[in-house]
Amino acid sequence: EQSVAFGNLATSAFGAGDDSKAEQFVEQQVSTLEEIRGVEEETARAYLLLSKVAARQEQFQDAKAHSEKARELAIAAGANALAMVAKCFIGANLARTMFDDAIQALGNEIK
C-alpha cells in the first residue's frame, strides 16, 4: 500500500519515462519507513522498561503513562504483540492507581 503511494509520488516527481529513478526513490522511501518502524519498536520497548521501573518505585501514574506511550509506538511500528503487552501494563498500573486512590480515600474518611 505504501509502496504504491510512493510509486505514484515518484512517477509524478520524475515523470512516467524515468522508471529507474522512480524505482530507486520508492526503494529509499520504503527502507526509510522500515528503519523508522524499527526505531519506534525499540523506543516502545524502552518505554515498557521505564514503566516497570516506575511501577517498582510505586509511581503507578508514571508507569501507566510510559505504558501508554509504549503502546502508541508499538502500534505505529506494527508490533502487535508488543502493543498487547503494553496494554496489559496499562491495565495493571491503572488498577494499582485506583487501589491506591481508594486506600487514600478510606484513610481520609477515617480521619
Side-chain angles (χ1 to χ4, degrees), residues 14-74:
F14 298 109
D18 198 348
D19 290 342
S20 64
K21 282 186 180 178
E23 186 176 326
Q24 185 179 20
F25 175 81
V26 170
E27 288 173 4
Q28 287 174 331
Q29 296 305 312
V30 170
S31 176
T32 300
L33 186 60
E34 288 171 353
E35 287 176 23
I36 290 169
R37 284 185 175 161
V39 170
E40 286 173 330
E41 185 173 346
E42 289 305 312
T43 305
R45 291 178 192 281
Y47 271 103
L48 281 179
L49 289 174
L50 285 172
S51 178
K52 285 176 70 173
V53 169
R56 286 185 182 146
Q57 296 173 349
E58 297 190 8
Q59 301 296 321
F60 299 108
Q61 289 181 350
D62 289 344
K64 181 178 169 283
H66 293 317
S67 298
E68 288 169 343
K69 184 67 175 174
R71 184 168 184 265
E72 288 173 20
L73 290 164

Side-chain angles (χ1 to χ4, degrees), residues 8 13 39 43 57 77 79-80 84 106:
N8 292 340
V39 170
T43 305
Q57 296 173 349
N80 296 331
M84 290 301 292
L106 182 61

